[in-house]
Amino acid sequence: MASQFFSRLNMAVPPIGASLGAAWTSVKSALPDSCLNSQPDEQLHFAKFGRKPNDTELSTLQSNGEEGNFQRVDSIGDDESCGGGEFGSSRHKISEWQAGWNVTNAIQGMFVVSLPYAVLHGGYWAITAMIGVAYICCYTGKILVDCLYVTNEEGQLVRVRDTYVSIAEECFGRRVGARIVNTAQLIELLMTCILYIVLCGDLMAGTFPDGAIDTRSWMMICGILLLPCSFLKNLHHVSTLSFWCTMAHVVINIMIMGYCLMQAGSWGWSQVSLRINIFTFPITLGIIVFSYTSQIFLPALEGNMKDPSKFHCMLNWSHVAAAIFKSLFGYVGFLTWQGNTADEITNNLPTQGFKGFVNFILVVKALLSYPLPYYAALDLLERSFFKGRPETTFPRMWALDGELKVWGLALRVALVVFTIVMAVSIPHFAILMGFIGSFTGTMLSFIWPCYFHLKLKGPTLDWGTVAYDCFVIFLGVLFGVIGIYISFRALVEKFQIGLPF
Amino acid sequence: PHSSISRIFSLDISLHHQFFVELECSVHSSFIKTLLGQIMEAKRVLVVLYLCICTGNALVTDSNFSAYSDPNSTISSTLLPSTTILTTEMSTSEMFTTEMPISSTSSLTTPTISPTPFIPTSSTLSPNPPNPVKNWVVVDEETNVTCIMVKFAASFVVPFYTIFDQIQNATLDLPGNATSSGTCNLGVMEDSHSQKISLQWIAGQSDSSNTNLPNILTFVFHKNMSSGIQATGKELVYLSDIMFEVYLDSENFPNASRVGNYSHGELVNSNLHSVAINNSYRCNSEETFELNVDEKIGDLAIIHLSHLQTEAFRMQTDDKFNFATDCPADKVITSDIVPIAVGCALAALVIVVLVAYLIGRRRARQRGYQSV
């Protein structure tokens, strides 16, 4: 009896199983590739020469390698990083997960609390923008990394360039172009660092409004907590900190969205506007667009990955996750408070205790986000100035045993102190950053990757890609102009009211 | 010497109406006709508070309540004489109902008495210390949101004409037993950019012989959208109007030529105390503002505010001030000691870190391990 029953059940199950399987394969084909199912011969396919974990010059000579030729096309004269990559020695390559945490750190920024405000002013267009900009930035990241490679005669991709600056050298000329891109990158990175300190100070001062410690003192206290960043040596440590930063971000998301879900009875589903208010939509566009800028870190991250073939899927998934999180958060946050949505959602939270707790987690997130741009800025400076004569003006910071020289440490600490001093002394920093960042950010994230792609790979591209690149350049110019105009007006207004101190 | 009698009544009307009240006093046969003023139609039922004062050396023997919806038709009634009690205290027990002939041409309904929140009921007599600092709030009834919180100590200098045609100044203090009222305009779309708080008190001793009318101090706050900025777009809240209505009583304004009237002062369309929304403005040092007086005196009335902390357009139901922005005058006082101390700690820590690393490296080198 039972066996008959089960056999009849077995006959019924396959149709369901088959249809489920068909549905699953169709869903899978729509999603980006999973990073988990790459086979070892993917590495062959990309032919990353000299990039396997225990690859050194000697082992290449001795091994019966897959390819016969030993030409090392990597040309950066960095005797430590055999195998390329910006961030130090090749012994410490990172996995694609760690690279993913770093990218998530860069794109899921501090302004997540302003997203419901963006939906307030932008409605469904804001949500569309969140997803669309994620897609565009993912694309520009991929083409930027693509510019690092050149197809050699055998049709294999070879990594000829290492950094953003080296691409610029090729396209803009060695003297002018490299300097411009270097400067833009440095400004963007340092301003991000300073912004994190400013935000820490503001959040802590907002949590303890009647305390004896004012904003500037809180900024300096947070800066003291950041002094150990000067001891960061490789990307592993930075990736671990980025991982914890992402965890803090997830905690914030869960707490606020949990609270919003509890208020699900009072959601205003019809309040999300379909029209664009031409005066307020640019603000929201600025919030959304400039949060997705991670392109500065991408050449270095890709260069330091153990398995760079997984770079594309890592980038895809991190951007998909970011787009989903952001749009959901903005949408749900707006539905809960509708017209009363404050420009920072923490101001809408009902009790002072809850708000204080969320502020505290945000401060932790800011502190954990700081190491990535700091490390990138440090590496940029080191690469430009501290690689030893005759290339650069200063000797190397690293002693022969791999430890920092004392004056090297002093310089790193000085950089942290510099960011603290800038945070404390510049008033209205967030708007100033919006003003300058509108220019450098659009250049680094939209315009230059597309321009380099067109210049370097132009002959090999089809018309669709060329048109798309031009479109992205146009978008970048548009966002930049709008952002500069709005920030400039806001700056003027703020300074008319008077300096806060 | 004179006695003054006050009578309070209110009535419900349903539409726009202007009306006035006549009171007839016995001895001098004078009556004061006071126009009630424009009744703004906000809802279907309006409660109108009307105060009528008659001064004279006698009792009010008769009073005529007249109301009209247009100047041509007048509906009048006579107040019940049994209620002409000499009273010196205004309290809600004084309320009475009037009989009104209901006319088909008017849509006035039978007036009903309802206690108003506007007149402060005199509670236990408490001494009013001059210039106390007290907290006043405005709570929106529907949402329970405390939309305005203010705390300050205030004193006024009000100029007035004396009967000898001189200008004198009277100094008044805002006492601690003032009560607050106001509007939040939370649901109203047109006015959602302004909120108002009014403080009322009665000058003079709060005992049974006080027949003064309330003084009213009003602050109006405005909110404006600061034009487009990226992530930190904040609206600004500022104090736009300060207005007062001071009753010229005989104690504070001796020999005033307009005794028994009100003196209005206002400072409008300003941009004071501008602060980002959800922040409070704090100024412990004394600030002085000059207000234009309606008497065309030429002198300005002055209001001194100190120990001030204000916050408007709040969205919270609690009553704690948010993060305070200090006024520039305070910045001199609020010490820079804390930032300097933290800065010194930071510098010391930097030096300690470098020295410790230096010593650590020296010691490691001295131990002589091989370097690659």
Side-chain angles (χ1 to χ4, degrees):
Chain A
M1 270 300 274
S3 59
Q4 273 182 343
F5 175 70
F6 277 122
S7 62
R8 232 174 265 146
L9 198 62
N10 274 340
M11 284 194 297
V13 161
I16 305 177
S19 56
L20 275 180
W24 176 240
T25 44
S26 64
V27 166
K28 252 177 47 169
S29 63
L31 291 176
D33 299 332
S34 166
C35 291
L36 299 172
N37 61 354
S38 71
Q39 296 88 21
D41 45 349
E42 286 247 9
Q43 298 185 354
L44 288 179
H45 179 249
F46 265 110
K48 298 294 187 302
F49 206 78
R51 296 171 61 75
K52 303 238 285 282
N54 40 8
D55 236 347
T56 58
E57 299 281 356
L58 285 178
S59 71
T60 315
L61 282 172
Q62 284 171 5
S63 70
N64 312 328
E66 304 82 4
E67 298 82 19
N69 43 358
F70 303 125
Q71 67 190 85
R72 283 286 313 277
V73 288
D74 180 23
S75 56
I76 301 291
D78 191 28
D79 50 352
E80 287 188 317
S81 59
C82 25
E86 276 182 306
F87 286 166
S89 76
S90 64
R91 290 189 303 257
H92 300 113
K93 296 268 187 191
I94 56 175
S95 72
E96 66 273 6
W97 282 100
Q98 291 175 310
W101 301 130
N102 283 326
V103 172
T104 309
N105 178 4
I107 57 181
Q108 302 246 39
M110 292 299 295
F111 292 113
V112 62
V113 290
S114 303
L115 289 175
Y117 186 70
V119 176
L120 169 69
H121 284 291
Y124 282 110
W125 294 98
I127 300 177
T128 314
M130 283 181 212
I131 302 176
V133 174
Y135 180 71
I136 293 178
C137 285
C138 191
Y139 172 73
T140 53
K142 284 188 212 165
I143 61 176
L144 182 68
V145 168
D146 212 23
C147 291
L148 299 172
Y149 291 90
V150 155
T151 315
N152 67 3
E153 304 84 32
E154 280 103 14
Q156 293 154 351
L157 287 170
V158 178
R159 200 170 206 259
V160 294
R161 288 172 279 264
D162 255 347
T163 64
Y164 207 132
V165 176
S166 50
I167 307 176
E169 273 177 9
E170 186 119 354
C171 296
F172 283 146
R174 193 180 173 91
R175 283 187 49 209
V176 174
R179 295 251 170 87
I180 292 180
V181 174
N182 233 351
T183 316
Q185 267 191 304
L186 199 62
I187 291 178
E188 179 91 4
L189 290 168
L190 284 180
M191 291 189 75
T192 311
C193 292
I194 300 173
L195 184 70
Y196 284 138
I197 301 183
V198 169
L199 285 175
C200 279
D202 279 341
L203 285 168
M204 290 304 286
T207 314
F208 301 107
D210 292 324
I213 310 180
D214 66 329
T215 315
R216 286 181 291 166
S217 309
W218 277 118
M219 286 188 206
M220 284 195 270
I221 293 175
C222 293
I224 291 179
L225 290 172
L226 290 171
L227 278 179
C229 287
S230 46
F231 289 100
L232 287 171
K233 284 224 196 83
N234 54 43
L235 213 49
H236 262 287
H237 302 157
V238 178
S239 307
T240 315
L241 292 171
S242 295
F243 168 71
W244 287 111
C245 169
T246 310
M247 290 300 115
H249 182 90
V250 166
V251 165
I252 295 173
N253 264 358
I254 289 177
M255 281 191 350
I256 297 188
M257 283 189 50
Y259 175 77
C260 292
L261 285 172
M262 287 200 308
Q263 312 279 318
S266 64
W267 280 0
W269 292 95
S270 59
Q271 297 265 359
V272 189
S273 72
L274 277 171
R275 298 166 297 149
I276 296 187
N277 184 344
I278 202 67
F279 294 110
T280 55
F281 188 58
I283 315 168
T284 78
L285 205 58
I287 302 173
I288 297 168
V289 164
F290 295 109
S291 60
Y292 280 108
T293 57
S294 65
Q295 281 82 359
I296 309 179
F297 307 107
L298 292 179
L301 282 177
E302 200 258 355
N304 272 294
M305 281 171 75
K306 282 187 203 125
D307 185 6
S309 59
K310 298 192 181 156
F311 176 77
H312 276 230
C313 72
M314 178 275 295
L315 205 66
N316 284 335
W317 277 108
S318 52
H319 278 81
V320 162
I324 291 178
F325 265 98
K326 286 193 191 192
S327 42
L328 260 185
F329 186 79
Y331 189 55
V332 164
F334 173 71
L335 284 179
T336 310
W337 282 287
Q338 299 133 34
N340 286 331
T341 309
D343 66 329
E344 280 173 28
I345 200 72
T346 47
N347 285 333
N348 276 126
L349 295 174
T351 59
Q352 200 68 6
F354 190 22
K355 174 179 166 180
F357 185 60
V358 173
N359 273 352
F360 182 68
I361 307 271
L362 277 172
V363 169
V364 169
K365 180 173 146 61
L367 290 176
L368 290 171
S369 299
Y370 180 92
L372 181 65
Y374 171 75
Y375 192 72
L378 208 56
D379 192 78
L380 205 60
L381 285 172
E382 201 178 320
R383 196 170 271 271
S384 315
F385 297 113
F386 292 98
K387 281 299 171 197
R389 295 173 181 269
E391 296 165 355
T392 55
T393 45
F394 296 110
R396 293 188 39 232
M397 268 200 232
W398 295 87
L400 291 172
D401 60 347
E403 297 284 332
L404 270 176
K405 295 185 188 167
V406 181
W407 62 267
L409 181 68
L411 277 172
R412 289 173 166 226
V413 170
L415 190 61
V416 179
V417 172
F418 173 73
T419 56
I420 298 173
V421 167
M422 286 286 119
V424 167
S425 45
I426 300 181
H428 306 300
F429 185 78
I431 305 179
L432 188 69
M433 170 153 183
F435 179 61
I436 299 183
S438 297
F439 182 67
T440 56
T442 42
M443 287 282 160
L444 286 165
S445 299
F446 291 96
I447 300 178
W448 283 337
C450 294
Y451 175 70
F452 296 158
H453 194 228
L454 287 175
K455 187 129 191 271
L456 292 177
K457 309 267 172 171
T460 64
L461 297 175
D462 61 333
W463 283 109
T465 317
V466 170
Y468 192 58
D469 279 354
C470 292
F471 172 64
V472 175
I473 292 182
F474 164 71
L475 270 186
V477 170
L478 186 68
F479 292 152
V481 165
I482 294 177
I484 289 179
Y485 175 66
I486 292 176
S487 307
F488 184 68
R489 277 185 60 190
L491 260 184
V492 165
E493 197 174 306
K494 281 278 181 177
F495 277 102
Q496 268 171 359
I497 294 179
L499 298 176
F501 37 79
Chain B
H2 60 273
S3 66
S4 56
I5 302 172
S6 328
R7 196 148 297 158
I8 310 162
F9 55 89
S10 64
L11 64 99
D12 292 317
I13 61 169
S14 55
L15 284 178
H16 255 292
H17 282 120
Q18 277 186 332
F19 56 105
F20 64 84
V21 176
E22 284 184 15
L23 278 187
E24 199 161 329
C25 306
S26 59
V27 170
H28 292 289
S29 296
S30 64
F31 63 89
I32 297 175
K33 196 162 44 173
T34 310
L35 183 65
L36 187 60
Q38 206 68 8
I39 295 144
M40 284 184 285
E41 175 185 281
K43 299 185 178 182
R44 297 304 303 260
V45 172
L46 282 165
V47 172
V48 169
L49 175 71
Y50 184 70
L51 281 162
C52 174
I53 304 169
C54 173
T55 59
N57 266 337
L59 303 171
V60 174
T61 55
D62 201 358
S63 45
N64 275 325
F65 171 70
S66 308
Y68 63 93
S69 56
D70 59 322
N72 297 324
S73 72
T74 307
I75 305 164
S76 62
S77 73
T78 309
L79 298 173
L80 300 171
S82 62
T83 57
T84 55
I85 303 170
L86 178 67
T87 64
T88 54
E89 189 177 301
M90 290 186 285
S91 66
T92 54
S93 62
E94 264 289 291
M95 304 295 194
F96 54 88
T97 56
T98 64
E99 299 287 314
M100 276 212 30
I102 298 173
S103 156
S104 55
T105 60
S106 99
S107 49
L108 291 171
T109 58
T110 312
T112 58
I113 302 302
S114 48
T116 79
F118 214 70
I119 299 297
T121 57
S122 62
S123 51
T124 58
L125 291 172
S126 56
N128 299 333
N131 272 347
V133 178
K134 204 183 161 245
N135 234 334
W136 289 281
V137 299
V138 173
V139 181
D140 182 66
E141 291 121 14
E142 291 164 26
T143 58
N144 236 4
V145 163
T146 309
C147 62
I148 309 180
M149 275 174 69
V150 299
K151 168 183 80 121
F152 57 87
S155 67
F156 312 85
V157 176
V158 181
F160 63 98
Y161 268 118
T162 61
I163 49 180
F164 314 113
D165 253 354
Q166 291 169 337
I167 300 179
Q168 281 206 353
N169 286 326
T171 307
L172 302 167
D173 293 322
L174 177 69
N177 64 350
T179 60
S180 63
S181 64
T183 55
C184 287
N185 287 332
L186 284 182
V188 182
M189 276 320 291
E190 305 85 39
D191 271 334
S192 61
H193 289 298
S194 79
Q195 292 185 342
K196 181 176 80 166
I197 179 170
S198 296
L199 305 175
Q200 299 94 243
W201 73 98
I202 302 182
Q205 296 157 334
S206 49
D207 55 0
S208 53
S209 64
N210 190 343
T211 52
N212 292 336
L213 291 181
N215 298 327
I216 307 172
L217 170 67
T218 304
F219 285 165
V220 178
F221 294 92
H222 267 82
K223 165 177 85 160
N224 70 341
M225 279 289 298
S226 58
S227 51
I229 2 176
Q230 299 184 40
T232 56
K234 284 193 196 296
E235 295 157 310
L236 294 171
V237 172
Y238 58 93
L239 177 64
S240 67
D241 305 326
I242 304 178
M243 300 178 286
F244 69 76
E245 298 207 359
V246 167
Y247 175 69
L248 300 172
D249 59 290
S250 52
E251 183 187 331
N252 293 313
F253 298 87
N255 296 322
S257 65
R258 283 180 58 230
V259 63
N261 284 318
Y262 269 98
S263 178
H264 307 272
E266 61 179 19
L267 172 68
V268 293
N269 294 326
S270 330
N271 195 329
L272 308 166
H273 296 178
S274 178
V275 83
I277 197 169
N278 285 323
N279 287 343
S280 59
Y281 183 86
R282 179 168 60 195
C283 203
N284 284 316
S285 14
E286 184 174 278
E287 294 179 290
T288 303
F289 298 104
E290 292 176 334
L291 289 77
N292 299 310
V293 184
D294 63 344
E295 242 192 282
K296 308 258 183 325
I297 286 184
D299 280 358
L300 298 166
I302 296 174
I303 177 171
H304 298 287
L305 297 169
S306 60
H307 298 98
L308 175 124
Q309 191 163 10
T310 59
E311 190 177 346
F313 293 95
R314 300 175 87 244
M315 303 285 202
Q316 292 147 293
T317 55
D318 61 345
D319 60 348
K320 281 185 63 69
F321 279 109
N322 277 328
F323 178 62
T325 307
D326 287 299
C327 60
D330 271 355
K331 294 284 180 86
V332 180
I333 309 171
T334 50
S335 53
D336 273 337
I337 290 181
V338 176
I340 291 177
V342 178
C344 290
L346 177 66
L349 214 63
V350 164
I351 295 176
V352 161
V353 161
L354 289 175
V355 166
Y357 190 72
L358 184 68
I359 295 178
R361 293 286 289 161
R362 285 266 168 82
R363 215 176 284 166
R365 218 179 298 158
Q366 272 172 8
R367 259 185 251 131
Y369 67 90
Q370 298 291 329
S371 53
V372 176

